Amino acid sequence: MKQKISQSERDIFKQAQPNRPLVWFNNVYLNYNKVKSENEPASFALKNVSLELQKGGFYFLTGPSGAGKSTLLKLMYLALRPTGGNIEMFGVDVAGASRDSLPQLRRKIGVVFQDFRLLPHLSVFDNLALPFRVRNMHPSKYEDDVKELLGWVGLGKRMSALPETLSGGEQQRVAIARAVVGKPQLIIADEPTGNVDPDMGSRLIRLFIELNKLGTTIVIATHDHEMVRRAGAPVLRIDKGKVEQFNTPPENLGGS
Amino acid sequence: MGEFLKIFDAPIFLPIKRLFGIGETPLLPADDRQARPLTIVVAIMCALGCLAALTARAGFRAAETWTSDLKSAMTVLVDSPRDEASLNRALIIVQKTPGVKAANIMDKEKAKKLLRNYGANIGVLIDELPLPNIIEVGLDRKIEGTEDNLQKNLSGAGFKIEIDDHSRYSGEIIKTSAVLRGFAIMALLSLIVAAITTIGFAARAALESRRDSVEILHLVGAEDAFVAREVQIRFMRLGLVSGAYGSLAAGVMVFTGILIMKIGASALTSSNDILKFYDIWILILAPILTAFAASFAARIAARQTLKELV
């Protein structure tokens, strides 16, 4: 599938620096509450976070509940801006990027949520077509791709179904297909196996591995330490807002 | 037929299909609990707006017609001599004066009616009063100076006369009509502002209630302009539908009003229609204007809200 590059996309990627990590965090702070006075202590969800994710890498994010995993992921998929520090995504400084330039970067990221976050009034087909519709593409240009992908995730015959009529596993496959359909460079998955049975969980992980082999960078937040150890992939361990990066799974993955 | 319909699959028709909700499911659908009352409110505002615009139009035309009628006619009161032969002589002089299209002596019954309007108040018998000798004059408005010529010709022939050119009435009518039109235009502007504010508020509420969907759209790469356009299209459609209902309601009200006026009308009110059939353009234009106003209000409100949302 050929996709046109708009002028605004060209402008934002003109700033991109070659040979930089795909994701680069440097001394990143995030505070949800606005500090009203100097005497009021700031409560940081993330403190002094520095990390690097290389293009084509496969990473697990582990840590106990409330450690800041979701916050870190939100910063990665550009749903939040840092309170302090620098973030580079695809070689572009996103902390200082204008609001109008963020959509171009978000189109390079596919996100899979634990609770799927499918639009309930849209059919399976329409949910999958979202990344194309927001780019004002004509249906004739993406119909075949969407149908092919739906067939690939085993939902070819349920294209017209609404999400509420699907099982948890089917909804998760639609969510993954939606994250993949726009051919992103980075896929971020928050507990993708949390709401599916172990068998489906294994199949989903195999799917992510296949995507990684095609060159897509994968970040999976999970509590499933067994899966992390089996995969042997690099780990980002977060606890109390601080992040440590390991090339292989450490003994202590943090939390349960 | 099926092949012919495929023409509408062309990219050029996509925005039109989106406006009318054909083909693609809206990404941010209307919440019926919000859309129904809003449709009714906007329809009522549109109906009131149409009535205000039609009132302004009618006021303008009525004033124009009445002042035109008044300026096209005058009356000559012959004070002396008061005999019948002199009055006929005066009529001939009037008829020959340039600028006079028609002239006739007001008949005795009509003159008596004029007196009755005043006589009833002072408690005298009409038949005991001397009837005024009045010549009704129709004017050719293209010719100026007719009043002066009449004055000169009749005075020259030995008549003592008074001419009433109705200017004191036309001035009052023009003033009253201007005030009426002013009120109607103010009412119309107030309704437009109220409608825009209401739709803006509703658009904000709509986005707040669909916050999750908006967040998903942003995360898959939607620009604010795209999301705002989705809201804009939805409210444009709502404006078009509400405007059509409002226009229809105003049309029915005006038509009923005209019918009632016709049934119980006097010669004065029925002789000139203050609303013409072609004034229907106001009712046709109203839904289109409502749709554009709704679209404009929704877009502005959506762009502002989106900046605060994510």
Side-chain angles (χ1 to χ4, degrees):
Chain A
M1 177 178 39
K2 285 180 186 174
Q3 285 174 18
K4 284 182 185 171
I5 299 170
S6 68
Q7 186 57 48
S8 54
E9 276 176 311
R10 282 193 204 104
D11 290 343
I12 183 79
F13 294 115
K14 263 184 202 167
Q15 305 162 28
Q17 299 170 48
N19 307 319
R20 298 285 297 162
L22 197 76
V23 178
W24 180 71
F25 280 46
N26 182 37
N27 296 327
V28 170
Y29 284 81
L30 191 114
N31 176 20
Y32 279 113
N33 304 315
K34 281 182 182 169
V35 180
K36 288 169 191 152
S37 70
E38 283 182 15
N39 298 330
E40 189 182 331
S43 59
F44 289 100
L46 292 179
K47 280 180 277 189
N48 199 21
V49 172
S50 295
L51 59 88
E52 280 185 22
L53 306 184
Q54 298 301 327
K55 194 175 177 186
F58 195 116
Y59 302 88
F60 284 105
L61 175 63
T62 64
S65 298
K69 285 199 296 290
S70 294
T71 303
L72 185 65
L73 293 183
K74 278 182 181 177
L75 284 170
M76 281 188 198
Y77 58 70
L78 306 171
L80 284 177
R81 300 255 207 162
T83 314
N86 298 75
I87 297 179
E88 269 182 30
M89 305 278 291
F90 315 103
V92 175
D93 173 19
V94 295
S98 73
R99 183 183 168 79
D100 289 341
S101 62
L102 293 182
Q104 309 303 333
L105 291 170
R106 285 180 182 137
R107 289 174 192 179
K108 292 176 163 287
I109 306 168
V111 190
V112 183
F113 298 96
Q114 187 179 4
D115 55 356
F116 321 128
R117 302 187 68 177
L118 302 173
L119 295 189
H121 63 282
L122 295 184
S123 67
V124 166
F125 179 91
D126 286 334
N127 264 290
L128 233 69
L130 267 185
F132 301 111
R133 279 185 69 177
V134 301
R135 290 174 215 192
N136 287 314
M137 285 171 70
H138 192 269
S140 61
K141 292 196 174 152
Y142 59 76
E143 257 171 12
D144 292 344
D145 290 302
V146 171
K147 284 177 185 169
E148 190 185 328
L149 188 57
L150 274 174
W152 193 57
V153 294
L155 291 168
K157 290 181 181 171
R158 306 222 58 190
M159 279 195 295
S160 308
L162 289 174
E164 63 181 8
T165 64
L166 303 179
S167 68
E170 286 172 326
Q171 289 189 49
Q172 188 63 297
R173 276 183 277 161
V174 177
I176 291 170
R178 185 181 66 190
V180 170
V181 75
K183 300 197 167 100
Q185 293 182 26
L186 171 66
I187 290 179
I188 297 168
D190 190 2
E191 298 282 0
T193 56
N195 281 329
V196 294
D197 60 63
D199 181 46
M200 177 54 69
S202 302
R203 283 171 60 189
L204 292 177
I205 292 298
R206 278 202 297 276
L207 174 65
F208 285 121
I209 292 169
E210 289 301 316
L211 289 166
N212 180 243
K213 282 180 186 166
L214 294 171
T216 312
T217 307
I218 311 278
V219 179
I220 297 176
T222 184
H223 281 115
D224 188 345
H225 293 173
E226 187 52 40
M227 179 178 72
V228 175
R229 288 199 180 90
R230 262 203 326 268
V235 169
L236 303 166
R237 189 176 68 188
I238 185 167
D239 195 11
K240 292 174 185 165
K242 289 192 172 177
V243 176
E244 290 174 283
Q245 196 163 358
F246 302 91
N247 287 330
T248 53
E251 193 61 32
N252 177 13
L253 286 165
S256 56
Chain B
M1 185 67 181
E3 285 299 312
F4 172 73
L5 288 176
K6 278 187 179 170
I7 293 171
F8 296 104
D9 288 341
I12 195 169
F13 291 109
L14 196 59
I16 301 164
K17 283 161 83 174
R18 279 182 181 157
L19 174 61
F20 293 102
I22 302 166
E24 291 178 329
T25 314
L27 296 180
L28 297 170
D31 179 349
D32 283 347
R33 287 168 303 176
Q34 187 204 46
R36 277 197 208 113
L38 187 64
T39 304
I40 293 169
V41 169
V42 177
I44 290 170
M45 284 179 177
C46 181
L48 293 173
C50 287
L51 291 177
L54 287 169
T55 304
R57 188 82 193 96
F60 178 72
R61 185 171 292 126
E64 206 177 37
T65 309
W66 291 337
T67 48
S68 170
D69 286 352
L70 286 172
K71 283 178 180 172
S72 306
M74 57 174 60
T75 49
V76 177
L77 177 67
V78 182
D79 282 337
S80 70
R82 294 185 54 81
D83 58 280
E84 191 96 0
S86 302
L87 191 59
N88 284 327
R89 196 162 57 87
L91 177 63
I92 292 164
I93 294 169
V94 169
Q95 283 170 333
K96 285 182 177 171
T97 303
V100 173
K101 266 166 69 177
N104 61 280
I105 295 166
M106 186 182 281
D107 67 54
K108 300 292 173 197
E109 280 308 307
K110 199 172 171 187
K112 212 181 268 185
K113 272 185 189 171
L114 280 179
L115 276 184
R116 193 169 288 132
N117 292 334
Y118 303 99
N121 292 338
I122 54 173
V124 294
L125 290 170
I126 301 296
D127 292 337
E128 289 174 5
L129 291 171
L131 289 174
N133 288 329
I134 295 171
I135 298 170
E136 294 174 308
V137 182
L139 299 172
D140 181 350
R141 291 181 62 191
K142 287 175 198 156
I143 298 171
E144 291 181 354
T146 309
E147 188 182 347
D148 291 342
N149 289 335
L150 280 171
Q151 186 79 51
K152 199 167 71 185
N153 293 349
L154 288 166
S155 302
F159 288 98
K160 192 182 169 203
I161 57 153
E162 284 173 45
I163 296 176
D164 183 359
D165 64 356
H166 306 151
S167 57
R168 58 190 162 138
Y169 303 113
S170 57
E172 286 294 310
I173 286 172
I174 289 167
K175 200 164 75 182
T176 310
S177 141
V179 170
L180 185 69
R181 266 188 294 157
F183 279 134
I185 289 167
M186 288 299 287
L188 183 62
L189 289 177
S190 306
L191 284 164
I192 290 170
V193 171
I196 286 176
T197 311
T198 307
I199 289 166
F201 179 77
R204 287 182 80 92
L207 272 176
E208 292 279 359
S209 69
R210 298 271 177 201
R211 203 186 181 109
D212 285 350
S213 301
V214 172
E215 200 177 319
I216 294 296
L217 292 180
H218 272 140
L219 291 180
V220 296
E223 292 169 349
D224 282 352
F226 176 88
V227 181
R229 196 161 57 242
E230 285 289 314
V231 178
Q232 188 182 2
I233 288 172
R234 179 176 134 190
F235 279 90
M236 186 186 249
R237 203 181 306 148
L238 184 140
L240 199 62
V241 172
S242 310
Y245 285 144
S247 248
L248 190 67
V252 169
M253 279 189 266
V254 169
F255 182 70
T256 312
I258 288 172
L259 270 186
I260 291 168
M261 280 183 76
K262 288 267 182 200
I263 290 165
S266 66
L268 178 73
T269 52
S270 63
S271 62
N272 290 306
D273 288 335
I274 52 171
L275 282 172
K276 306 281 184 193
F277 179 73
Y278 55 77
D279 288 330
I280 202 166
W281 69 264
I282 291 174
L283 300 178
I284 294 169
L285 195 63
I288 299 165
L289 282 179
T290 311
F292 275 109
S295 154
F296 167 77
R299 186 167 184 84
I300 300 287
R303 290 303 291 256
Q304 281 177 346
T305 311
L306 285 169
K307 280 183 188 161
E308 296 157 15
L309 273 185
V310 185

